[in-house]
């Protein structure tokens, strides 16, 4: 896989109105890389993550996957998964249904097949005993693992996390780190926003420091 | 006494039947219509939005009684004639759809943006998102308000009295005037209570079923 960049950003810029958030950013990630994006709030960390996840569109610049240009905002590419800061689990669905919804609806998998496909991830993330529960019955750490499991079911090549440690008890932070490293071993490329420099440095292969753009 | 009660019950029941009919048709037409209006109020089409806003403003800002009289007694003066029953249905449907639209609009706004975004990143289409994620959440949010409106509707239906329809209230009033007795009106009250009690019980079952998640 050498030479193949899972994700490259070329001269990506983004403004909201007259406020420039990201200015000609370049970035490249190899398969299995963990990138920590650190910086003060208002520096554009979340915007950058949302651009990669296709929740915002860039004003200019290119996104490349294995050297080929792609459009992150296209709902039909499932290259990028996302774990939101407050997880955004679907409250009306059980843990199992949260995880299997996209495979069933988007990939037209049968319910039975989707549940079989979800089993290893449920095991790996220690979610088996929660699969019939609803999100409101879970703790923050459990919700986060469900969000990770849900994203993994669409087989993304890149997984983004918005502030994954901000809402967790200190003893859970180590557990999250283990999850990141396990996923890395499977070849997952991961992008993490964090305020926590120590944590960012401990898990990352690459660090991107962002600063607010001066007027 | 008991004989008297039994003698007027048939006319009360036939009046109650009309009340139930008005309730039924208003409910089944104005709820979907209200949902459509709510989506219209959410849309990007400026003209549609303006018209619907105007409609909701007029209907919620004037009495239902005026709307009933306007449609049945007023419109014929400009050549638009509805028979009594149809006039009542049109007035109730137009009126309740506006209230339901406002309820649904509030419900739609209460679904966090993050729900739409999570669905988008997972690759769900807009329709799939609405159907599997948004609709169940909106239904749960609006259920208590919809229930209130439905109970109001049972009682509001008595307003058709003013355009001469033989509903439950009219049946009781006629009997009271004819027999100079308080009993028919007390019975009318009991029948309304029974109808709202049954409705309340039904609504409670529906709400309970939607309480599986929070």
């Amino acid at each position: 896989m050498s030479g193949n960049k899972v994700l490259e950003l070329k001269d990506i810029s983004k403004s909201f109105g007259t406020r420039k958030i990201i200015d000609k950013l370049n970035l490249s990630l190899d398969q299995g890389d963990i990138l920590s994006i650190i910086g003060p709030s208002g520096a554009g960390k979340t915007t950058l993550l949302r651009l990669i996840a296709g929740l915002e569109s860039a004003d200019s610049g290119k996104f490349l996957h294995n050297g080929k240009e792609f459009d992150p905002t296209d709902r039909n590419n499932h290259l990028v998964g996302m774990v939101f800061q407050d997880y955004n689990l679907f409250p009306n669905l059980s843990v199992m249904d949260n995880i299997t919804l996209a495979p069933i609806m988007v990939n037209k998998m049968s319910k039975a097949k989707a549940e079989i496909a979800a089993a290893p991830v449920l095991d790996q993330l220690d979610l088996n005993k929660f699969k019939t529960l609803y999100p409101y019955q879970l703790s923050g750490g459990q919700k986060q693992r469900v969000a990770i499991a849900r994203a993994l079911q669409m087989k993304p090549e890149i997984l983004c996390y918005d502030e994954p440690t901000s809402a967790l008890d200190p003893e859970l932070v180590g557990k999250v780190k283990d999850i990141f490293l396990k996923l890395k071993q499977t070849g997952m490329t991961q992008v993490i926003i964090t305020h926590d420099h120590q944590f960012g440095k401990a898990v990352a292969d690459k660090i991107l420091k962002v600063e607010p753009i001066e007027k | 006494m008991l004989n008297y009660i039994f003698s007027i019950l048939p006319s009360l029941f036939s009046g109650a039947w009309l009340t139930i009919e008005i309730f039924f048709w208003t409910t089944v037409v104005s709820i979907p219509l209200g949902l459509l209006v709510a989506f219209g109020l959410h849309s990007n089409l400026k003209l549609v939005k303006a018209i619907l806003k105007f409609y909701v403003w007029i209907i919620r800002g004037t009495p239902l009684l005026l709307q009933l009289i306007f449609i049945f007694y007023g419109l014929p003066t400009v050549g638009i004639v509805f028979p009594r029953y149809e006039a009542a249905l049109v007035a109730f449907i137009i009126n309740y759809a506006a209230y339901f639209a406002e309820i649904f609009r509030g419900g739609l706004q209460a679904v966090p943006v993050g729900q739409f975004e999570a669905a988008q990143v997972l690759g769900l289409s807009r329709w799939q998102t609405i159907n599997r994620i948004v609709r169940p959440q909106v239904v749960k949010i609006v259920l208590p308000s919809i229930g209130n409106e439905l109970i109001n509707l049972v009682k509001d239906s008595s307003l058709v009295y003013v355009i001469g329809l033989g509903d439950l209230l009219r049946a009781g009033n006629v009997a009271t005037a004819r027999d100079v007795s308080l009993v028919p009106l007390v019975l009318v009250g009991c029948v309304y209570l029974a109808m709202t009690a049954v409705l309340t019980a039904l609504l409670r079952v529906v709400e309970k079923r939607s309480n599986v998640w929070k």
Side-chain angles (χ1 to χ4, degrees):
Chain A
M1 58 204 70
S2 61
N4 266 3
K5 300 286 184 190
V6 172
L7 180 68
E8 282 177 277
L9 274 63
K10 299 248 181 205
D11 292 330
I12 293 291
S13 297
K14 176 75 183 172
S15 309
F16 290 114
T18 56
R19 219 167 81 83
K20 196 146 215 153
I21 308 289
I22 292 167
D23 191 20
K24 297 216 167 142
L25 184 102
N26 287 286
L27 182 69
S28 109
L29 295 176
D30 296 308
Q31 188 181 16
D33 272 353
I34 298 182
L35 169 74
S36 285
I37 305 174
I38 53 183
S41 45
K45 300 189 299 285
T46 299
T47 303
L48 177 56
L49 202 71
R50 288 171 62 86
L51 285 168
I52 294 171
L55 290 168
E56 307 280 354
S57 46
D59 298 335
S60 59
K62 278 197 278 193
F63 291 89
L64 305 179
H65 169 248
N66 293 338
K68 267 195 233 143
E69 192 172 349
F70 76 101
D71 175 9
T73 62
D74 179 1
R75 279 177 194 247
N76 295 321
N77 89 56
H78 307 305
L79 222 49
V80 182
M82 173 91 165
V83 177
F84 293 87
Q85 183 167 12
D86 39 17
Y87 319 127
N88 294 345
L89 298 181
F90 304 128
N92 55 314
L93 301 178
S94 69
V95 167
M96 184 56 110
D97 289 343
N98 261 281
I99 293 172
T100 56
L101 178 71
I104 291 170
M105 304 291 283
V106 181
N107 295 342
K108 309 293 171 210
M109 232 186 238
S110 73
K111 193 173 159 63
K113 264 197 175 155
E115 291 190 358
I116 292 169
V121 176
L122 285 168
D123 263 342
Q124 192 191 345
L125 293 175
D126 205 8
L127 288 170
N128 256 322
K129 48 186 177 294
F130 307 120
K131 59 189 175 192
T132 59
L133 299 185
Y134 285 83
Y136 80 95
Q137 295 166 303
L138 305 177
S139 71
Q142 291 158 355
K143 280 185 196 162
Q144 183 176 55
R145 291 187 337 256
V146 175
I148 294 171
R150 181 175 71 173
L152 287 176
Q153 284 320 97
M154 290 308 281
K155 310 253 176 279
E157 293 183 41
I158 302 150
L159 195 47
C160 297
Y161 308 84
D162 192 355
E163 297 282 2
T165 59
S166 66
L168 295 183
D169 295 332
E171 63 265 30
L172 279 176
V173 172
K175 212 171 167 186
V176 176
K177 187 179 151 194
D178 291 343
I179 293 174
F180 292 168
L181 295 177
K182 257 190 209 161
L183 286 173
K184 179 186 168 70
Q185 282 167 10
T186 69
M188 183 66 71
T189 308
Q190 296 170 91
V191 180
I192 302 162
I193 288 184
T194 182
H195 272 113
D196 183 343
H197 285 227
Q198 247 185 335
F199 177 79
K201 283 179 182 153
V203 293
D205 305 294
K206 292 179 179 165
I207 289 177
L208 176 69
K209 275 190 185 156
V210 288
E211 293 293 338
I213 293 167
E214 317 249 337
K215 283 251 170 174
Chain B
M1 179 71 174
L2 218 53
N3 278 342
Y4 176 64
I5 289 175
F6 279 118
S7 76
I8 59 168
L9 272 184
S11 69
L12 291 189
F13 282 147
S14 89
W17 182 246
L18 183 78
T19 298
I20 290 169
E21 272 185 291
I22 289 169
F23 173 84
F24 177 80
W25 289 114
T26 304
T27 304
V28 298
V29 181
S30 65
I31 287 183
L33 196 61
L35 194 59
L36 274 179
V37 173
F39 279 120
L41 287 168
H42 246 251
S43 83
N44 297 324
L45 305 163
K46 285 216 167 76
L47 184 68
V48 173
K49 222 171 152 169
I51 293 171
L52 292 177
K53 261 189 174 165
F54 184 70
Y55 153 68
V56 172
W57 177 66
I58 291 281
I59 296 298
R60 296 210 314 161
T62 60
L64 173 54
L65 191 54
L66 170 64
Q67 294 159 18
L68 263 171
I69 293 172
F70 187 88
I71 288 173
F72 184 67
Y73 294 113
L75 286 184
T77 65
V78 293
I80 305 170
V81 182
F82 286 106
R84 279 177 217 281
Y85 181 61
E86 283 74 7
L89 285 186
V90 167
F92 273 89
I93 286 167
I94 289 177
N95 182 277
Y96 272 80
Y99 281 91
F100 286 136
E102 272 299 295
I103 292 172
F104 285 128
R105 195 181 59 85
L108 274 172
Q109 273 176 350
V111 177
V113 167
Q115 294 288 303
F116 292 87
E117 290 183 343
Q120 188 187 336
V121 179
L122 287 169
L124 268 72
S125 71
R126 226 160 232 292
W127 171 245
Q128 288 169 338
T129 307
I130 295 280
N131 201 32
R132 292 286 284 143
I133 310 299
V134 179
R135 192 184 43 82
Q137 294 186 38
V138 170
V139 166
K140 187 180 169 73
I141 293 166
V142 301
L143 215 49
S145 317
I146 296 279
N148 272 337
E149 284 302 319
L150 291 179
I151 286 168
N152 272 337
L153 174 57
V154 172
K155 295 176 289 177
D156 273 357
S157 68
S158 62
L159 292 173
V160 300
Y161 178 87
V162 77
I163 61 170
L165 273 177
D167 76 322
L168 173 58
L169 177 63
R170 187 181 187 82
N173 203 14
V174 165
T176 288
R178 182 191 58 216
D179 307 330
V180 198
S181 160
L182 204 55
V183 176
L185 289 183
V186 173
L187 286 178
V188 165
C190 293
V191 177
Y192 276 117
L193 275 175
M195 288 196 289
T196 52
V198 169
L199 187 58
T200 306
L202 279 176
L203 289 166
R204 204 157 287 162
V205 171
V206 176
E207 268 187 54
K208 212 171 201 171
R209 277 189 47 194
S210 80
N211 271 347
V212 188
W213 54 276
K214 279 178 189 149

